[in-house]
């Protein structure tokens, strides 16, 4: 396998990335508090607090999927299993999960047909592909080893896996919220990162295993495609569980 890349990031890029991500986090937190008041429900706050725990998942996913961050020129947020992560990544994961899962949760609560659910999933995948162009351009992170179906440097299967995890976590949180009452609902805070990691690896494991163990492009292409298909199937299954019947 290829050696894990070791590279430096421009301190200017690190500064602006951290500042922009901090602003987005603050806006996300404010939105969650506002939505909690509007909904008269603690669910948005539970989602916000639960998303904080997902920070610890990043290095595990990175090792599995062959992704690495700059080693120099960055402020370090957390350092786990030998993978120091820039502070901006810690900030990204909070507003990424809180914002995405809250959007999905509210969509379910308002009532969504399966067709719209699947279209939303497709939109998430396209959005992931487009948004990744910015950080990849500035080398805020990089994918290494054989990663088939790259779009501007972004391996397409990651977009499907991430979409599957966010939509699945949103569905799971709503289903569990319906079962729990009163203070029991706050148990969703520690459960949130467990659900997110489990759903991410459930869809991503075939692709993760391939890109981290083989240099054979055809083999990697086959297994990353399996992750794409698994992700799509999972989104459909969760849609069947939470979507209202089409009128």
């Amino acid at each position: 396998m290829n050696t894990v890349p070791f590279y430096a990031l421009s301190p200017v890029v690190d500064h602006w990335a951290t500042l922009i991500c901090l602003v987005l986090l603050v806006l996300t937190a404010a939105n969650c508090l506002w939505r909690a008041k509007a909904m008269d429900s603690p669910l948005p706050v539970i989602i916000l607090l639960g998303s904080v725990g997902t920070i610890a998942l990043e290095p595990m996913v990175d090792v599995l999927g062959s992704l690495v961050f700059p080693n120099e020129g960055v402020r370090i947020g957390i350092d786990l299993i030998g993978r120091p992560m820039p502070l901006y990544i810690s900030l990204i994961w909070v507003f990424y999960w809180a914002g995405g899962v809250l959007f999905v949760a509210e969509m379910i609560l308002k009532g969504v047909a399966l067709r719209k659910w699947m279209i939303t999933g497709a939109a998430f995948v396209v959005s992931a592909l487009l948004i990744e162009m910015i950080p990849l351009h500035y080398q805020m992170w990089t994918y290494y080893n054989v990663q088939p179906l790259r779009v501007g440097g972004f391996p397409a299967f990651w977009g499907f896996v991430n979409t599957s995890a966010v939509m699945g976590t949103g569905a799971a949180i709503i289903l569990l919220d319906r079962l729990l009452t009163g203070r029991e609902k706050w148990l969703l805070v520690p459960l949130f990162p467990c659900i997110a990691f489990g759903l991410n690896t459930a869809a991503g494991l075939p692709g993760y295993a391939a890109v981290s163990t083989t240099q054979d492009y055809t083999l990697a292409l086959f297994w990353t495609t399996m992750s794409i298909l698994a992700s799509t199937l999972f989104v459909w299954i969760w849609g069947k569980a939470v979507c209202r019947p089409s009128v």
Side-chain angles (χ1 to χ4, degrees):
M1 298 304 295
N2 294 339
T3 302
V4 178
F6 185 96
Y7 70 101
L9 184 70
S10 164
V12 175
V13 173
D14 177 67
H15 172 78
W16 282 105
T18 303
L19 180 61
I20 291 171
C21 289
L22 179 60
V23 170
L24 291 174
L25 186 150
V26 171
L27 291 175
T28 299
N31 180 60
C32 287
L33 294 174
W34 174 68
R35 294 306 302 150
K37 182 177 181 180
M39 296 166 60
D40 191 25
S41 167
L43 187 60
V45 176
I46 289 171
I47 290 173
L48 176 64
L49 296 177
S51 70
V52 175
T54 63
I55 297 171
L57 309 181
E58 175 68 26
M60 290 183 279
V61 173
D62 298 343
V63 172
L64 288 171
S66 298
L67 181 151
V68 72
F69 300 102
N71 310 91
E72 296 181 351
V74 295
R75 301 175 181 86
I76 299 298
I78 64 171
D79 187 346
L80 293 175
I81 59 174
R83 288 295 184 99
M85 298 194 308
L87 178 58
Y88 57 76
I89 291 299
S90 299
L91 301 175
I92 283 176
W93 268 58
V94 176
F95 71 75
Y96 171 84
W97 284 99
V101 171
L102 180 58
F103 178 87
V104 172
E106 289 199 280
M107 184 169 63
I108 296 170
L109 290 173
K110 292 175 182 176
V112 59
L114 182 59
R115 182 173 181 272
K116 183 177 180 180
W117 173 265
M118 296 304 294
I119 291 174
T120 300
F124 275 14
V125 172
V126 173
S127 297
L129 293 172
L130 294 175
I131 292 172
E132 282 264 346
M133 298 302 102
I134 300 173
L136 287 176
H137 174 76
Y138 289 103
Q139 296 186 306
M140 291 168 58
W141 55 79
T142 187
Y143 300 89
Y144 60 99
N145 288 329
V146 176
Q147 303 260 7
L149 301 178
R150 290 183 182 243
V151 180
F154 179 51
F157 90 95
W158 280 80
F160 285 85
V161 171
N162 291 343
T163 293
S164 174
V166 170
M167 297 189 74
T169 300
I173 291 296
I174 289 298
L175 292 173
L176 289 171
D177 181 67
R178 290 171 178 171
L179 295 175
L180 301 174
T181 59
R183 294 180 180 179
E184 294 175 348
K185 294 180 182 293
W186 292 96
L187 293 173
L188 293 174
V189 173
L191 280 175
F192 189 109
C194 302
I195 294 169
F197 182 66
L199 295 181
N200 183 284
T201 53
L205 192 57
Y208 292 157
V211 301
S212 62
T213 58
T214 183
Q215 289 293 308
D216 186 319
Y217 184 90
T218 302
L219 191 60
L221 176 61
F222 175 81
W223 288 112
T224 53
T225 301
M226 289 302 101
S227 276
I228 290 174
L229 294 177
S231 300
T232 304
L233 176 62
F234 289 159
V235 169
W236 179 79
I237 290 173
W238 296 319
K240 295 289 286 185
V242 299
C243 293
R244 60 175 173 79
S246 299
V247 179

